[in-house]
Each structure stands twice: as structure tokens, then as C-alpha cells.
Amino acid sequence: MPFAQLVIGPPGSGKSTYCDGMHQFMSAIGRKCSIVNLDPANDHTSYTSALDIRDLIALETIMADEELGPNGGVLYALEELEHNIEWLQKGLDGLGEDYVLFDCPGQVELFTHHTSLRNIFFRIQKMGYRLVALHLTDSYCLTLPSLFISTLLLSLRSMLQMDLPHLNVLTKIDKIASYGPLPFELEFYTEVQDLPDIVPHLLEENPMMRHPKFEGLNNAVIELVEDFGLVGFETLAVEDKKSMMTLLHSIDRAGGYAFGGAEGANDTVWQVAVRDGMRTMNVRDVQERWIDRKEEFDEMERKKLEEEAKAQEAPSLTDDAGEEEEDSDIEEMAGHVPDSGIKVVRRP
């Protein structure tokens, strides 16, 4: 049974960067992975896609032939893909049991009310794929109460529209400290609790919000989000291994990979660590690493990299020693792996 992530989110949220980083991370832990580009406007990717919608239909051709703008052209392209779904099915059949990352367009209407992308996902699901929708949002949205409220509404609407196992992710969390102090701890935003506490800060942001009609609207929006009780957020720093491992563990649990993936008795230390969630980061760890003590941790990592560089330059360093150092780094990330009761049989 193949598994897949459907990577959605507004423009600039880091979808393509995430697909590239997650592809590299999965390759490092021994999980075979392929990327499918479903964004017809994405003509310069940092990754090599196994399938590309631009091989079926190009955005430039649509805009010229149908006299449409970029947004209309993307919608047209997804409708064209929906009506030619056999092309996608044939391509996915060629990927076998690969774990697939679908890099989707950033037009929000595609995952809020337009039906083509949803219908495509359901057709993929009927092929036997276990899907998880991953909605990415730039963590800059935490800096303004109004942006955060808008993000909550967008996330909730996309969850209801996609109707799939779903995770919301605050990307670029390693940049959050550079935006200035936040009015609340990070946990307030990720857990989406005590939302009425944000109203005073919303009023400070814009005096217009003090008008009675805006006050009623703000309270209605907050009540709506709280009544559904669906929205919460993971965090991600795509270049940080612990952050990637934590997110992948959450995705694996949401999609069922953690309970029956293709990995078996020949798991590496990395694979066991990701599946069992060892040494993953909770929101307090993220707060400490990227907000409270970011400079201190950055300096520690810089010194560690310098020491590793010096060790690699040393003439007495052998290849075996290098492999031991790499193994120790993996073990440090994975922590102690408990006895699961499963006999491990290594391939010759």
C-alpha cells in the first residue's frame, strides 16, 4: 500500500522547498520517495520530479490559447488534469510503492472551494494510496493577530474541503525570532487554545477593530474556530534534522505509515527513530531552540560544524572513522532504541 503527502498552502509558504527537503531526508533514512509536481506555474524546481503536470499541459499555452491570466490558467490546468486523470494514474503506476510527495499549486481557491484538486486527490485515494494533506503556512503569520486569525480560517476551510487526514504546519520557524517578540508563547499558536485572549492585541493592531461591528465579527470568528476544535499546528525548520524527523513522525501517524509501512526487519537506526518518535521535539523544545535561546544554539552548532570540518581535514582521519562519526550523529538523533521484541534480520 503506497503512501503520499499532498502539500498545499498559499504562495510563499515553502511547498517546493519542503518537497525538496523531505525528499532528501527520506532518502537519508532509506525510504524510497518520488515527487510529483502538480503546479503548472512551477517551471524551475530545485528537485527532479518523477511526474510533472507541465508534461501534460503548460501554463503558458493555456494563457495564450484561452486568454486567461495566471490564476485562471492554473485553475484551467487542474480541470484539464481532472479530465485526463488516466495520465496521472499511468505515471503513478510506474512509481510502484514509492512514497510520493505531491507539490500542489498555491492558489488558495483550489483547496478552499474549487473541486478539481479535491476530486484528483480522491481518485488517487481510490488507487490505494494512503493520503495526508499537509497545509503549509509561513510562520510570519504569527506576528500580527489579524494574520493569525486569517490563517485559522484558511486552515479550517481547507481541512473541511479536503476531507482527508490533515496537518497544518508553520514553516520557516527558524526565522521567527527575527520578526520581533510575539505577544504569546509559541504553544498558544500551535495548540489554538484560549483564542479570546488575542482580541485585545487585535484591537491594538488596528483601532478600526474597536468598532462594535468588528468586535462582533471577531468574536464570531473565534467562536467558530473553537467550536470546530479541528485546527492545530506543527512547526518546521526544513534545514533542521530534528524538526524534519518530528514532523515526519506526526505525518506517519496521521497517514498510518507508523502502524504498517513498508519498512520491516531491516530498518536502520534512522527508520526506527522516525517511526517510534524518539527524540522528537515538542512545542516547548521548539520555543527554546528557535526563540528563547536561538543565538546560543546557533553558536553551539557553529562550533560543532567547525570541529567536524577540522576533523575531516586531519590527515590521520580514515574513512572508517568518518563513518563512525556519522553513525554517532545518527545515534545522537535517535537516542536509545528500546527492544521492540522483533528479531532483526540484516540483508547480506
Side-chain angles (χ1 to χ4, degrees), residues 41 243 245 300 342:
S243 182
M245 184 168 71
M300 291 169 56
I342 300 174

Side-chain angles (χ1 to χ4, degrees), residues 281-342:
M281 302 174 71
N282 60 38
V283 66
R284 297 186 183 275
D285 296 328
V286 177
Q287 170 88 29
E288 181 181 35
R289 171 61 184 91
W290 299 114
I291 299 177
D292 296 340
R293 299 172 57 196
K294 182 179 186 301
E295 294 182 358
E296 180 180 345
F297 275 95
D298 286 348
E299 180 65 16
M300 291 169 56
E301 290 189 0
R302 185 188 65 80
K303 289 182 178 179
K304 182 179 179 180
L305 289 174
E306 288 181 352
E307 292 174 358
E308 290 177 354
K310 291 179 181 179
Q312 290 177 357
E313 293 174 357
S316 60
L317 188 64
T318 64
D319 292 339
D320 291 339
E323 291 177 1
E324 290 176 2
E325 185 167 339
E326 183 179 351
D327 290 341
S328 67
D329 184 53
I330 292 175
E331 291 172 1
E332 180 184 352
M333 285 284 298
H336 174 66
V337 180
D339 184 9
S340 63
I342 300 174

Side-chain angles (χ1 to χ4, degrees), residues 151-167:
T151 298
L152 291 175
L153 286 175
L154 179 59
S155 300
L156 177 59
R157 184 68 191 101
S158 65
M159 294 179 79
L160 298 175
Q161 172 75 4
M162 293 293 100
D163 196 24
L164 291 165
H166 193 112
L167 289 175

Side-chain angles (χ1 to χ4, degrees), residues 7-17 19 35-45 47 49 51-60 62-63 70-78 81 87-88 101-108 110-111 117 120-121:
V7 185
I8 61 177
S13 57
K15 297 183 294 298
S16 294
T17 301
C19 288
I35 304 177
V36 174
N37 177 36
L38 294 183
D39 186 357
N42 195 2
D43 56 346
H44 293 93
T45 60
Y47 55 78
S49 57
L51 286 174
D52 193 334
I53 189 176
R54 293 178 61 84
D55 294 334
L56 174 68
I57 187 167
L59 180 62
E60 297 82 3
I62 297 173
M63 293 173 61
N71 288 347
V74 170
L75 296 179
Y76 186 99
L78 268 293
L81 178 60
W87 174 86
L88 181 60
L101 305 174
F102 290 91
D103 189 3
C104 300
Q107 276 72 11
V108 295
L110 285 170
F111 47 88
L117 192 60
I120 291 168
F121 290 166

Side-chain angles (χ1 to χ4, degrees), residues 114-301:
H114 196 271
T115 59
S116 287
L117 192 60
R118 176 183 176 179
N119 293 339
I120 291 168
F121 290 166
F122 285 166
R123 291 292 295 272
I124 295 171
Q125 194 174 42
K126 288 182 178 179
M127 294 176 62
Y129 278 86
R130 296 289 296 273
L131 304 179
V132 176
L134 210 63
H135 184 251
L136 307 188
T137 304
D138 192 330
S139 60
Y140 182 79
C141 71
L142 307 185
T143 61
L144 293 173
S146 59
L147 277 179
F148 183 60
I149 294 296
S150 299
T151 298
L152 291 175
L153 286 175
L154 179 59
S155 300
L156 177 59
R157 184 68 191 101
S158 65
M159 294 179 79
L160 298 175
Q161 172 75 4
M162 293 293 100
D163 196 24
L164 291 165
H166 193 112
L167 289 175
N168 300 302
V169 183
L170 295 171
T171 61
K172 310 176 188 179
I173 202 67
D174 50 328
K175 307 294 184 184
I176 193 69
S178 64
Y179 301 146
L182 300 174
F184 301 99
E185 295 286 302
L186 187 60
E187 188 173 9
F188 172 86
Y189 301 99
T190 58
E191 301 302 317
V192 193
Q193 296 178 351
D194 302 318
L195 272 183
D197 292 347
I198 205 173
V199 172
H201 298 277
L202 194 61
L203 300 180
E204 291 179 8
E205 179 190 338
N206 191 335
M208 289 182 61
M209 295 296 176
R210 300 181 184 276
H211 194 283
K213 67 178 181 180
F214 285 111
E215 182 180 358
L217 176 62
N218 294 334
N219 290 332
V221 169
I222 288 173
E223 184 178 353
L224 174 69
V225 174
E226 289 189 326
D227 285 349
F228 272 99
L230 295 175
V231 184
F233 293 95
E234 305 290 331
T235 61
L236 175 65
V238 74
E239 295 182 355
D240 184 75
K241 289 184 288 187
K242 285 186 178 180
S243 182
M244 290 288 278
M245 184 168 71
T246 300
L247 179 59
L248 183 56
H249 176 65
S250 297
I251 296 169
D252 286 349
R253 291 182 64 84
Y257 192 98
F259 311 108
E263 298 164 1
N266 292 281
D267 287 356
T268 65
V269 174
W270 268 102
Q271 290 169 315
V272 174
V274 172
R275 188 181 65 243
D276 294 342
M278 299 172 187
R279 293 286 181 91
T280 54
M281 302 174 71
N282 60 38
V283 66
R284 297 186 183 275
D285 296 328
V286 177
Q287 170 88 29
E288 181 181 35
R289 171 61 184 91
W290 299 114
I291 299 177
D292 296 340
R293 299 172 57 196
K294 182 179 186 301
E295 294 182 358
E296 180 180 345
F297 275 95
D298 286 348
E299 180 65 16
M300 291 169 56
E301 290 189 0

